[in-house]
Amino acid sequence: MSLDEFFAHPGSSKKREMSKRGVKAKASSDLVASNCPEKETMCDAEDALSTLRDDVIVDKVTSNISKYMDIKISEVIKPINELTEKFDNLIERMETVEQRVSDLEDVTATNEPRIAALETQLKKAMERLESFENQSRRQNVRIVGLKEGAEGRAPVDFFKKWIPEVLGLQQGAITVDRAHRTGPPMRLTGTEGPRAVLVRLHYYTDTQRILQAARAKGTVNTEAGKVSFYQDFSAEVARKRKESANARKALREAGIKYSFLYPAIIKIFNPDGTSSSLATIQDVKDYSM
């Protein structure tokens, strides 16, 4: 309520105030009249009335301002109280989260040595598993380039006769346990070229004889196409050996003597009689030919 509205609509409370003012004014007038001349008494009475009126106005204005301020402050305090409550909830939740994070950090710090030990054990176990896998492949020979279907419907009998003939083995027959193409048929994959053949020999010595004869002969040309003989390795060892293929080719072109050791180690024979072993692809890159 504005001051104009307040004074434009006087109520019962205003009448009571005016009545009180009249009583006070009369009392003051009587008091002044008994002690002062008539003119002075009237002037003093008017001053007293003016002062009393000003006091009443100030009191009323102050009261209205106080009420107005109380209303406005209550309107502001309400959303502030709501925000304060929300902040309190957020602080409580953050404290809970911080405690949980602290607990997790403690658990992680405790488990780090155990995890490191488990990783070491797992690495050793994987290395042993890979070693076992490659040992189980020692009696395998991988033949690449043989025309699809050349082995017919009896691949074991075919390779038992075909391998000694194309390699010129003179130390008797070989014993073949299994023979099959690797991977799905070409019509399903859409790839070009024949699939590799995996031949499982009964004796490891036969495997060694075949690989030595293939290396000595170099290129093996047959009626079924140009073929190559390789030792069979696991996928991981095959990947490592493939990564160093370009480096071995560069060594051969440079006339540097080297040997290729299992699993994928290049042993270079230096002119001064020493040797260098390149076990990783980074070692190959760092080696200066």
Side-chain angles (χ1 to χ4, degrees):
M1 178 184 293
S2 64
L3 294 178
D4 294 337
E5 292 175 347
F6 174 77
F7 287 110
H9 300 86
S12 59
S13 58
K14 183 175 180 181
K15 292 179 179 180
R16 286 194 297 269
E17 290 294 333
M18 293 299 292
S19 177
K20 291 179 181 179
R21 185 178 62 182
V23 172
K24 291 180 180 180
K26 186 176 183 301
S28 298
S29 178
D30 294 340
L31 180 62
V32 171
S34 62
N35 295 305
C36 300
E38 183 178 353
K39 292 183 179 180
E40 293 180 1
T41 300
M42 292 179 64
C43 291
D44 291 341
E46 290 177 358
D47 291 341
L49 288 172
S50 177
T51 302
L52 183 61
R53 184 174 62 253
D54 293 342
D55 291 342
V56 171
I57 292 172
V58 170
D59 291 342
K60 202 64 180 178
V61 170
T62 303
S63 175
N64 287 324
I65 291 175
S66 298
K67 292 178 181 179
Y68 180 78
M69 292 298 294
D70 290 341
I71 294 172
K72 291 300 180 181
I73 290 174
S74 63
E75 293 176 354
V76 174
I77 289 177
K78 182 177 179 182
I80 291 176
N81 290 335
E82 294 176 354
L83 289 175
T84 302
E85 184 178 356
K86 291 180 180 179
F87 279 127
D88 291 340
N89 293 334
L90 286 175
I91 291 172
E92 184 178 355
R93 294 178 64 182
M94 285 297 297
E95 290 176 351
T96 303
V97 171
E98 288 177 355
Q99 183 61 42
R100 290 181 179 179
V101 171
S102 178
D103 295 341
L104 287 175
E105 288 177 348
D106 294 340
V107 172
T108 302
T110 305
N111 290 336
E112 279 182 356
R114 296 176 57 192
I115 293 173
L118 289 173
E119 288 177 347
T120 302
Q121 294 178 6
L122 179 60
K123 183 178 179 181
K124 291 181 179 179
M126 293 300 295
E127 290 175 351
R128 292 183 63 185
L129 180 62
E130 178 135 1
S131 177
F132 291 152
E133 181 181 355
N134 284 288
Q135 287 181 14
S136 69
R137 294 170 178 260
R138 292 177 65 191
Q139 293 166 231
N140 296 346
V141 173
R142 185 177 290 271
I143 303 173
V144 178
L146 184 63
K147 184 179 178 180
E148 286 273 350
E151 67 275 18
R153 295 183 176 275
V156 172
D157 295 335
F158 172 81
F159 288 109
K160 188 185 298 183
K161 296 178 181 179
W162 180 81
I163 291 176
E165 289 178 359
V166 297
L167 294 179
L169 297 179
Q170 304 296 329
Q171 300 179 6
I174 59 174
T175 304
V176 178
D177 290 341
R178 297 187 301 276
H180 60 84
R181 297 276 178 175
T182 60
M186 291 187 297
R187 66 177 182 275
L188 298 179
T189 60
T191 57
E192 296 181 0
R195 293 173 294 167
V197 179
L198 194 64
V199 178
R200 175 78 175 185
L201 299 162
H202 189 73
Y203 299 104
Y204 174 69
T205 53
D206 288 343
T207 305
Q208 293 298 99
R209 288 168 55 204
I210 291 171
L211 294 175
Q212 289 174 1
R215 281 194 294 268
K217 194 167 184 179
T219 303
V220 180
N221 293 312
T222 67
E223 295 180 356
K226 180 181 176 181
V227 297
S228 302
F229 293 80
Y230 299 99
Q231 188 174 351
D232 187 35
F233 295 106
S234 65
E236 181 63 20
V237 172
R239 182 187 63 80
K240 292 179 180 178
R241 295 171 79 91
K242 185 177 181 180
E243 286 179 349
S244 63
N246 292 333
R248 286 182 278 125
K249 181 180 179 181
L251 290 173
R252 288 194 299 271
E253 292 175 351
I256 299 175
K257 294 182 179 180
Y258 74 93
S259 61
F260 196 39
L261 307 178
Y262 176 84
I265 299 174
I266 301 175
K267 185 176 181 180
I268 299 175
F269 301 99
N270 300 315
D272 58 359
T274 60
S275 61
S276 303
S277 295
L278 311 179
T280 64
I281 190 63
Q282 189 60 44
D283 294 339
V284 173
K285 292 179 180 179
D286 294 341
Y287 181 77
S288 177
M289 291 185 291

